[in-house]
Each structure stands twice: as C-alpha cells, then as structure tokens.
Amino acid sequence: MFASHPNKEVFGGLAVYSWKEPGATDWFDGRYDGTVSPVWTKENMDLPPDVQRWWMMLQPQFKSHNTHEVLSKLFQIVPGEDPYRSRDPRRCRRCAVVGNSGNLRGSGYGPEIDGHDFVMRMNQAPTVGFEGDVGGRTTHHFMYPESAKNLPANVSFVLVPFKTLDLLWIASALSTGQIRFTYAPVKPFLRVDKEKVQIYNPAFFKYIHDRWTEHHGRYPSTGMLVLFFALHVCDEVNVFGFGADSRGNWHHYWENNRYAGEFRKTGVHDADFEAHIIDMLAKTSKIEVYRGN
C-alpha cells in the first residue's frame, strides 16, 4: 500500500512525487468517497461546520449572509436537484473533461471529444475556430462569477461558488441584474438555461482538497474540480488539454504566445502535485489522458 504522503524530489526545478511501495488500487480506494455529492442541492443545503468555515475563508466577505436562506431563494429560480442520482446500469456514460492547455493546438482531437455523452469545459474555453482540436459540443460549462459567459440553452452552467455572494450573484444575474461586482466586475445579466443551472458543492470542493490534492496549494484548480466531478458522475472519463505542451510550455490553446504560462502565475495551486494526481489516476485506469502536442 502506498504511504499516505509521497516523497518529493526536485529535478531541474520540477517537483516529482513518488511512492516507494506499490499498490495503486489501495491509493485510489483510500481516497475515493462516493457518498459526497458533487452538486449542492435542496437535500444537502446545510454544510458541515468544518466545510462551512473552510469555504467561507476562501474569499472572505465584508458582509455576512445566511447561506441557507440565500440557497433557499436561489432554488426557487434554479432546480436544486441532483440530476445524476439515477443511472442506467446497462449504459456506459462516457465523459470528456476538456482543459484549456495549448497542447490541444494541432491535436485533431475534436471529433473524439464530441463523441462523448458529456463534454465538460471550464472558464473561457472558446470553441469557435478551434473545433478540429477541441470539439464543438459542450454539455457542462464550469465557471466562477468572474469568468461567466452566456451559454446555449442545451448547456448546463455549473457555478463554482467561493462565497455566499456568488450565490446572490447567480440569482441576480438570472433576474434583476443588481449585482455587478463580487471581488471583480461580473456580468449583471446572464443568458443561460435556468433549468440546467447546477451549483458545485463546497463539501465536494473540500473533499478534493483533503483527500486528493492533500492541501497542496490553497485550494484545487478548476481542472481538478471538473475532473473529480466527472469521476463521480461518469462511468468512463477521458481527459484532454491538461498540462504543458510537448515543449514544456504552459499556455491556453487560444493564445498565440505559447510562453504565457497562465497556469502557473498565481501560485494558488500546486501544478506539479496536481499533474502527479492525474498520472496516478491514469496508472490506476480510472481515466485516460490524451497528451496532445
């Protein structure tokens, strides 16, 4: 069985994590918890106190809000149900998790990505003009208020909230448009299908932070949040557009400057450890990773 914490070695400035003992299945089984719902719903509105404290400290607010009260009002606008509760055991739900790495440029993965049941994208993720490499279909789009954009009616908007104000914003953006600023300017109005809006569960967010990224970085990246969401709602998970390109450059596929390095600028996330987690999931055959160019 793997030790609970990996050994860290540094080679040429890159952190490499490894265990001295075999047992990848034990590694996965000791971390996976299928009882934690990825979606915040009417049934799990009340967060455990430790989750509530952790979540409230991610982006502290000057004004306090009653989260239960805010959610109750929000769930009068959006469904507040778990759409993944019932699964057909006779059918394999294939999901593509599409990151924003520049290694997608020239990959030709578009048709492969579009062939999945669910195609999950995050933040900006433009597809127009990049269909051959990133596909044109989207079923789930994960965004913060500050990165939100309008979506077609057949796409699920999955809000990743960092604070109660984010919940107030989505309710406002779908109705009155009063909220125009969270910690940065946000769209006052949002054109998305209200019936397809889902709220990412802070308890699931903390579960990833505790069990999988093991407190490396302040909190997990959006890529990690979407990847583990998929692992909990899908039967097969294929991962595209994660990591650096073949030259070791970190940039987005829509950027002309391949040295932009957006993924590593903030220091909020531990990119090396998260890359290691992805490698381990691939080695345990829980995901397949398409490395691109």
Side-chain angles (χ1 to χ4, degrees):
M1 180 178 176
F2 279 120
S4 59
H5 296 284
N7 300 292
K8 178 178 179 179
E9 300 174 77
V10 178
F11 298 95
L14 177 67
V16 177
Y17 296 86
S18 63
W19 278 270
K20 299 302 183 184
E21 299 171 340
T25 301
D26 292 338
W27 171 86
F28 181 85
D29 292 344
R31 287 161 174 76
Y32 185 88
D33 184 353
T35 67
V36 188
S37 171
V39 185
W40 211 355
T41 68
K42 295 174 184 175
E43 291 188 358
N44 61 15
M45 278 200 298
D46 294 318
L47 299 174
D50 62 320
V51 174
Q52 180 79 23
R53 285 192 300 269
W54 178 80
W55 181 64
M56 294 294 285
M57 290 306 297
L58 290 180
Q59 285 183 12
Q61 303 166 88
F62 293 108
K63 182 180 179 181
S64 62
H65 303 278
N66 184 311
T67 304
H68 187 281
E69 185 179 304
V70 171
L71 271 179
S72 297
K73 292 179 180 178
L74 175 58
F75 289 148
Q76 294 174 16
I77 301 172
V78 303
E81 308 292 342
D82 183 355
Y84 313 105
R85 179 175 297 165
S86 59
R87 300 270 288 274
D88 184 348
R90 299 165 298 178
R91 192 165 182 273
C92 175
R93 182 185 285 163
R94 299 180 66 246
C95 300
V97 176
V98 187
N100 295 328
S101 170
N103 66 34
L104 284 170
R105 288 286 286 270
S107 67
Y109 287 151
E112 174 76 22
I113 290 170
D114 283 345
H116 290 76
D117 298 299
F118 288 170
V119 180
M120 301 181 176
R121 304 184 193 272
M122 58 205 78
N123 298 327
Q124 288 181 277
T127 56
V128 176
F130 303 98
E131 292 89 345
D133 295 330
V134 308
R137 285 185 64 235
T138 305
T139 62
H140 296 68
H141 207 124
F142 294 72
M143 292 180 281
Y144 315 114
E146 298 78 21
S147 66
K149 63 180 183 178
N150 298 325
L151 296 175
N154 61 341
V155 180
S156 294
F157 176 95
V158 186
L159 174 70
V160 181
F162 277 79
K163 51 194 176 299
T164 311
L165 181 58
D166 294 349
L167 306 176
L168 289 167
W169 166 79
I170 185 66
S172 168
L174 295 174
S175 56
T176 63
Q178 289 178 325
I179 297 178
R180 298 170 180 267
F181 193 90
T182 54
Y183 77 84
V186 292
K187 291 176 76 73
F189 290 100
L190 197 63
R191 290 195 302 276
V192 299
D193 188 339
K194 292 180 183 179
E195 293 304 311
K196 285 185 168 291
V197 171
Q198 299 169 32
I199 313 298
Y200 203 101
N201 185 2
F204 195 78
F205 198 153
K206 188 174 187 295
Y207 151 71
I208 298 169
H209 184 60
D210 291 343
R211 294 282 192 95
W212 295 99
T213 56
E214 298 180 13
H215 301 174
H216 287 80
R218 273 195 60 219
Y219 50 82
S221 68
T222 315
M224 285 288 103
L225 299 184
V226 180
L227 174 57
F228 283 101
F229 189 103
L231 275 169
H232 280 251
V233 305
C234 305
D235 301 302
E236 176 184 326
V237 178
N238 296 311
V239 177
F240 304 81
F242 277 56
D245 66 14
S246 59
R247 299 181 185 180
N249 298 314
W250 294 78
H251 61 294
H252 296 130
Y253 62 80
W254 61 87
E255 292 173 333
N256 291 323
N257 178 11
R258 66 173 53 247
Y259 304 103
E262 288 294 333
F263 295 121
R264 295 195 168 202
K265 280 184 178 177
T266 64
V268 172
H269 316 301
D270 189 328
D272 296 319
F273 194 78
E274 292 192 357
H276 167 75
I277 295 295
I278 290 171
D279 287 342
M280 287 300 302
L281 290 170
K283 286 177 182 176
T284 56
S285 301
K286 302 301 179 184
I287 64 174
E288 182 168 349
V289 181
Y290 290 72
R291 301 291 181 181
N293 287 323

